[in-house]
């Protein structure tokens, strides 16, 4: 079911599947994607969970407010969960969605039951990145791409320090040698985090679908 909600003055579009009284699980897509990035995974997790799959601000059918601080994106999801009367949720985030997930765990710890960070963008300055070049791609706000790219290159130092405050059990998934991101940065700084490497590159859930679902299921069952 596709639904809409106004949070923090922004319209968020989200998909909802599964039993509303089951444990909540939120799937957060990467940059320039939308909730459709999780097609198939929603049905898998909805067998046991109330699955909520939002379009982040600046993506898909959600609002394009023009400003895109990653912590504010996390606050959007926290407000959505509160509006849906979700007391605690497992967060599964890929890339930018993973960054949104760990910011939510830092800023709203009471809302987060478990955390899965799939090749998430770490809060360390990313070096050697190519400049953003706009093309005719649609489905997202190009201003969001520029704004988040700046934050990837020059993150607030307080963000890395905040990782130490995360109390939720955390699974960090690395795409291995083919990924351009260092998942170890997160695994070393989040207390008790478990690091699992799947040699798939950045798009673990798309490239190694079964291995991704098995790793997440094992973590949720542990």
């Amino acid at each position: 079911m596709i639904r809409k909600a106004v949070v923090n003055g922004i319209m968020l579009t989200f998909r909802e599947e599964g039993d509303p009284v089951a444990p909540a699980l939120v799937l957060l897509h990467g940059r320039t994607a939308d909730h459709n990035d999780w097609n198939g995974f929603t049905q898998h997790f909805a067998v046991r969970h109330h699955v909520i799959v939002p379009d982040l601000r600046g993506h898909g059918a959600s609002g394009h407010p023009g400003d895109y601080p990653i912590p504010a994106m996390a606050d959007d999801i926290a407000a959505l969960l509160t509006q849906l009367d979700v007391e605690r949720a497992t967060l599964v985030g890929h890339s930018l969605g993973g960054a949104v997930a760990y910011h939510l765990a830092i800023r709203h710890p009471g809302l987060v039951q478990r955390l899965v960070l799939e090749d998430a963008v770490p809060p360390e300055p990313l070096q050697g990145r190519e400049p953003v070049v706009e093309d005719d791609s649609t489905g997202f706000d190009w201003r969001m791409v520029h704004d988040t790219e700046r934050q990837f290159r020059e993150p607030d130092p307080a963000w890395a320090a905040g990782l130490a405050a995360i109390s939720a059990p955390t699974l960090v998934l690395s795409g291995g040698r083919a990924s351009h991101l260092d998942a170890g940065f997160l695994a070393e700084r989040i207390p008790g985090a478990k690091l699992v490497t799947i040699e798939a590159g950045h798009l673990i859930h798309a490239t190694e679908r079964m291995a991704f679902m098995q790793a997440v299921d094992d973590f949720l069952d542990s």
Side-chain angles (χ1 to χ4, degrees):
M1 177 188 301
I2 302 296
R3 298 182 59 190
K4 295 182 181 293
V6 176
V7 299
N8 299 333
I10 299 167
M11 179 70 76
L12 288 190
T13 297
F14 63 100
R15 189 159 84 209
E16 210 173 8
E17 293 191 35
D19 188 340
V21 301
L25 185 146
V26 181
L27 297 170
L28 299 171
H29 61 76
R31 189 169 70 176
T32 73
D34 60 24
H35 70 271
N36 290 300
D37 191 51
W38 295 109
N39 287 348
F41 298 96
T42 52
Q43 292 88 343
H44 172 80
F45 292 118
V47 172
R48 294 190 297 166
H49 295 87
H50 172 204
V51 181
I52 301 162
V53 197
D55 291 348
L56 298 173
R57 68 162 72 182
H59 295 78
S62 288
H64 294 187
D67 62 317
Y68 300 99
I70 298 173
M73 292 183 173
D75 291 344
D76 293 344
I77 305 306
L80 176 63
L81 292 176
T82 299
Q83 192 171 133
L84 296 176
D85 294 323
V86 172
E87 294 183 358
R88 300 187 79 199
T90 292
L91 306 180
V92 180
H94 172 242
S95 194
L96 170 62
V100 172
Y102 64 67
H103 275 284
L104 201 158
I106 294 169
R107 297 166 70 82
H108 307 275
L111 281 174
V112 182
Q113 185 167 15
R114 287 177 180 252
L115 195 58
V116 178
L117 305 176
E118 178 202 350
D119 223 46
V121 179
E124 63 170 338
L126 298 187
Q127 307 291 340
R129 291 175 64 84
E130 295 294 327
V132 171
V133 178
E134 296 188 20
D135 55 29
D136 58 358
S137 298
T138 59
F140 56 88
D141 185 353
W142 275 104
R143 187 177 299 181
M144 174 277 303
V145 178
H146 291 286
D147 197 5
T148 53
E149 185 66 25
R150 177 187 55 77
Q151 295 171 77
F152 294 168
R153 293 171 182 267
E154 301 174 0
D156 185 332
W159 296 353
L163 296 173
I166 292 177
S167 57
T170 301
L171 170 64
V172 177
L173 293 176
S174 168
R177 291 164 293 180
S179 173
H180 62 289
L181 298 176
D182 176 17
F185 184 93
L186 294 167
E188 292 168 3
R189 288 164 176 79
I190 297 174
K194 179 181 180 181
L195 176 63
V196 171
T197 299
I198 300 173
E199 292 291 346
H202 185 53
L203 301 174
I204 302 171
H205 68 285
T207 306
E208 291 289 348
R209 182 187 186 92
M210 297 307 296
F212 169 81
M213 288 194 292
Q214 188 64 59
V216 176
D217 284 345
D218 289 347
F219 174 67
L220 296 181
D221 289 340
S222 64

